[in-house]
Amino acid sequence: MQAWINVGSPENFEVLRRRGFDLSPFKASRQKQSSEMRPGDRIVYYLTKDVLFGGVVEVTGEMYEDTTDIGLASEGKPGEDYPYRIATKPVVIAKPGRAIDVREITDRLDKTRSFGPKKLGMCFRGNLHRISEADLRTIEGLLQPRA
């Protein structure tokens, strides 16, 4: 099992919430990484702007290509689509307004410890990152009471 962080906007996270987190979408630039995901892998959603962890899903299928518009928008490149998708199911999703402020837990995660709360932007550049199982367990544990 591999754990991942998918970086995206709070608005796109809400689109996925309305869908029941049945899939995780990836930009065209993430074809290789998303194709490495396997059933049983976990994906943590990191919400830009708000600097939050919103939830965790489990991968239930292989990556596939689909350009159907599902209402997602790219913050950096207007018109950029998310053609690579993976079927998922929710594991633990924070209720609206109850997500984890990542700045408050930087010292608890391998991924963020060396960056600290003021340099998190550097830590989460790009759309997709691998994280340790220990970080995943910490994030899931913190999300449980917020779900």
Side-chain angles (χ1 to χ4, degrees), residues 30-104:
R30 299 295 171 227
Q31 178 183 9
K32 183 180 183 315
Q33 286 176 298
S34 60
S35 71
E36 295 170 1
M37 292 184 175
R38 298 289 174 256
D41 285 1
R42 299 273 174 106
I43 303 169
V44 176
Y45 288 103
Y46 172 83
L47 313 181
T48 57
K49 291 189 254 177
D50 297 340
V51 192
L52 302 170
F53 287 136
V56 178
V57 297
E58 182 176 322
V59 174
T60 60
E62 302 292 327
M63 187 268 291
Y64 62 95
E65 189 171 354
D66 183 351
T67 57
T68 305
D69 183 4
I70 60 171
L72 301 174
S74 174
E75 294 176 321
K77 299 178 184 175
E80 183 176 34
D81 61 357
Y82 294 77
Y84 300 106
R85 299 171 185 186
I86 293 181
T88 60
K89 66 180 182 181
V91 173
V92 58
I93 306 296
K95 291 179 181 170
R98 304 262 300 138
I100 298 168
D101 186 331
V102 181
R103 292 167 291 217
E104 295 177 4

Side-chain angles (χ1 to χ4, degrees), residues 113-130:
R113 191 172 292 117
S114 64
F115 289 90
K118 294 183 180 180
K119 295 184 180 178
L120 284 174
M122 293 171 48
C123 184
F124 294 111
R125 285 198 177 153
N127 186 236
L128 195 55
H129 304 267
R130 293 176 188 263

